[in-house]
Amino acid sequence: MLQKTNPTMFEIWNELGDCIWKKGDKKGAQNCFERALNQQRNKVSLRNLSIVMRQQESVTNSQIEESVKISKEAVSLDVTDGTSWYILGNAYLAQFFLCGQLSNILKCSLNAYGKASADEKVLSDPDYHYNKGIVFKYLDDYTNALAYFTDAVTIHPHFNECIQELNDLKDQIMKTNNLIHNKGKLKSKNIALMLRKLKEKSMGQKLLKCQWQTLVN
C-alpha cells in the first residue's frame, strides 16, 4: 500500500536499482527501474533503464530499439538535460552497430550528441568525446574523429582504448596518404582495392570494442 501512496517511492526504486547495478545484477537493476517507472515516469529511471537494457548478456534488435525509444522519452521529459541527450546518442550508436550500420542512424546519434554539448558536465566526460569521435570515424570524417579522440585523451590521459583508436586512425590516414602519393606507381583499380581493404581491416579490428563502449554508457 505504501508503494501506491508515497510520491517518492520511484526515487527509492532508483536508489535500489543503482545499488544492485553496482553489484553486477543487471536483471535485478532493470526490474527496479521498471518498478520506479510504474510509480512515476521520470528521466532518471528512463535513462538508467535504457543503459541497463543494452548491458544484458543477450541483446536483441527489438531491445535496442526499445532502448532508443526509452531514451527519447527521457529527453521529452526535459529537453534541456544534456545527460539525457548524451544517453540517447549512445543508444543510437548501439543501434548502428547491432541493428545494421546505416548512416542515418549515425546522424541521429550525432544530432543527440550535439544537443548534449550544451551541458558542461557532459563536456567533461571523456567517453562523450570518444563516442562522438567514433561517430565521425564511421561517417568518414577523420578530421573531426581525430579532434574528439584527442579531446578524450586530454581529459583522461590514461584512456587506453581511445589512445589506441587515435593511434590506429593516424596510422590509417598516413597509409592512405602514402598510397595516394604513390598512385603514379599503381593502377587506379589496385589503389581502390588497397584503400578498401585498409578501411575494412581498421573497422573490423575495432568493431567489437566500439560495440562494448556504446553498450556500457
Side-chain angles (χ1 to χ4, degrees):
M1 189 63 158
L2 177 64
Q3 294 180 12
K4 295 181 180 179
T5 58
N6 190 340
T8 63
M9 183 56 71
F10 76 91
E11 296 174 327
I12 297 175
W13 280 115
N14 281 340
E15 290 293 332
L16 180 59
D18 281 335
C19 291
I20 293 175
W21 199 358
K22 290 175 182 177
K23 292 181 179 180
D25 184 356
K26 297 168 187 173
K27 285 288 186 183
Q30 179 172 334
N31 180 61
C32 288
F33 298 138
E34 289 172 344
R35 284 176 175 269
L37 290 169
N38 286 337
Q39 298 295 318
Q40 181 175 320
R41 307 302 286 185
N42 67 94
K43 63 183 180 181
V44 174
S45 299
L46 290 164
R47 291 194 308 235
N48 289 342
L49 181 58
S50 174
I51 297 170
V52 79
M53 285 180 68
R54 301 196 302 273
Q55 290 183 344
Q56 301 301 328
E57 291 183 6
S58 299
V59 183
T60 64
N61 287 5
S62 61
Q63 286 174 313
I64 292 296
E65 291 170 358
E66 182 65 18
S67 173
V68 172
K69 180 180 178 181
I70 290 170
S71 294
K72 286 181 178 180
E73 184 180 350
V75 167
S76 72
L77 293 179
D78 182 1
V79 296
T80 66
D81 191 307
T83 299
S84 295
W85 281 109
Y86 172 46
I87 291 172
L88 175 58
N90 288 347
Y92 276 126
L93 191 52
Q95 185 179 32
F96 171 75
F97 283 120
L98 300 177
C99 302
Q101 297 187 12
L102 303 175
S103 61
N104 66 304
I105 296 177
L106 281 182
K107 291 175 182 177
C108 288
S109 178
L110 190 60
N111 178 65
Y113 287 149
K115 299 286 188 180
S117 67
D119 190 325
E120 291 294 329
K121 182 180 178 181
V122 172
L123 289 178
S124 66
D125 185 348
D127 285 334
Y128 163 78
H129 297 276
Y130 175 77
N131 288 349
K132 196 168 182 179
I134 291 295
V135 172
F136 279 119
K137 176 184 173 182
Y138 281 85
L139 286 172
D140 295 330
D141 185 343
Y142 300 133
T143 299
N144 274 314
L146 287 172
Y148 279 97
F149 290 152
T150 301
D151 287 343
V153 174
T154 299
I155 297 170
H156 181 11
H158 303 293
F159 194 162
N160 293 329
E161 289 99 333
C162 191
I163 292 170
Q164 186 66 50
E165 191 76 54
L166 181 60
N167 290 337
D168 287 349
L169 185 55
K170 287 179 178 178
D171 183 60
Q172 178 185 344
I173 292 172
M174 183 181 68
K175 289 179 179 178
T176 302
N177 287 338
N178 287 340
L179 284 174
I180 294 172
H181 179 72
N182 295 320
K183 66 180 181 179
K185 302 176 183 179
L186 295 169
K187 294 181 179 179
S188 58
K189 184 182 295 186
N190 290 336
I191 293 175
L193 179 61
M194 292 175 70
L195 287 172
R196 187 174 72 250
K197 287 184 176 180
L198 181 62
K199 183 176 180 180
E200 288 174 350
K201 179 181 179 182
S202 174
M203 291 179 70
Q205 289 174 337
K206 300 302 172 188
L207 180 56
L208 291 178
K209 180 188 295 183
C210 294
Q211 288 178 342
W212 177 247
Q213 181 67 25
T214 59
L215 289 173
V216 298
N217 284 283

